[in-house]
Amino acid sequence: MSSLLLPTESRLDERDGRYLRQAISLADRARERGNRPFGAVIVAADGTLIAEAWNANGETGDCTAHAELSAIRIASPSHARDQLAGATLYSSSEPCVMCAGAIFWSAIGRVVYGIDAVRLRAFRGERLDQKDVELSCRDVFAASSHPIECIGPALVDEAAASHAGAWK
Ligand SMILES: [Zn+2]
């Protein structure tokens, strides 16, 4: 893979870095429990942690049990759209097309992610059941009727470490 094709890494401030590391630690917890290594947290504008979740594919057998989607399912029923519009979803990796759609529906206004989908494909390998839809979350967000700020990739080395040896 040519480094010229890899997305440029974003720098994060202290707060964004802290919450993204929390999402990455949840990815490691997911892996320990027999799931794909993905984690996500949702943080309100005032810094309150609204939701945290990890990928639970292995534990539940549910192919939609992605970390971001599960975190949104925790946050959405108890928070108004205008509260979620001020919130940030931190994900250990770039949201897939399903989770990007859920972010749109939730009205969450900001996303910060770790490893990008392009770098992650090196870990996923060639198995068809491990491949993702090659549509970037930014393309989904760009089609949104409300603005969704998107920052990433960031902390790539730390986010990638969760995936080393995790995919066969
Ligand atoms: Zn997803």
Side-chain angles (χ1 to χ4, degrees):
M1 191 186 306
S2 167
S3 60
L4 293 173
L5 299 174
L6 295 176
T8 305
E9 190 163 347
S10 301
R11 287 177 172 274
L12 301 183
D13 64 17
E14 188 279 330
R15 173 174 149 148
D16 281 342
R18 180 157 36 93
Y19 290 123
L20 182 54
R21 287 190 171 96
Q22 193 169 342
I24 292 168
S25 77
L26 289 167
D28 293 332
R29 188 186 302 181
R31 182 174 174 175
E32 289 164 10
R33 296 169 65 109
N35 307 295
R36 296 299 186 195
F38 300 102
V41 299
I42 301 173
V43 179
D46 68 359
T48 306
L49 185 73
I50 295 176
E52 59 178 7
W54 57 81
N55 179 294
N57 285 170
E59 287 178 87
T60 65
D62 179 356
C63 66
T64 70
H66 289 192
E68 305 96 313
L69 186 56
S70 296
I72 289 167
R73 283 181 169 152
I74 293 167
S76 176
S78 53
H79 293 83
R81 283 179 62 86
D82 61 344
Q83 288 178 288
L84 292 174
T88 299
L89 183 146
Y90 297 87
S91 179
S92 62
S93 79
E94 181 173 352
C96 75
V97 63
M98 173 182 74
C99 292
I103 289 163
F104 163 77
W105 287 115
S106 74
I108 289 169
R110 187 166 180 267
V111 174
V112 178
Y113 67 83
I115 187 172
D116 54 273
V118 177
R119 287 180 174 88
L120 189 58
R121 281 175 202 133
F123 291 102
R124 289 181 181 278
E126 294 302 315
R127 265 178 48 179
L128 283 178
D129 63 338
Q130 294 183 166
K131 284 186 173 292
D132 62 322
V133 176
E134 296 198 6
L135 178 66
S136 85
C137 68
R138 282 188 172 83
D139 287 338
V140 175
F141 299 155
S144 168
S145 48
H146 58 267
I148 303 171
E149 184 184 3
C150 186
I151 297 165
L155 303 180
V156 168
D157 289 346
E158 293 174 53
S162 304
H163 294 273
W167 301 81
K168 298 283 186 282

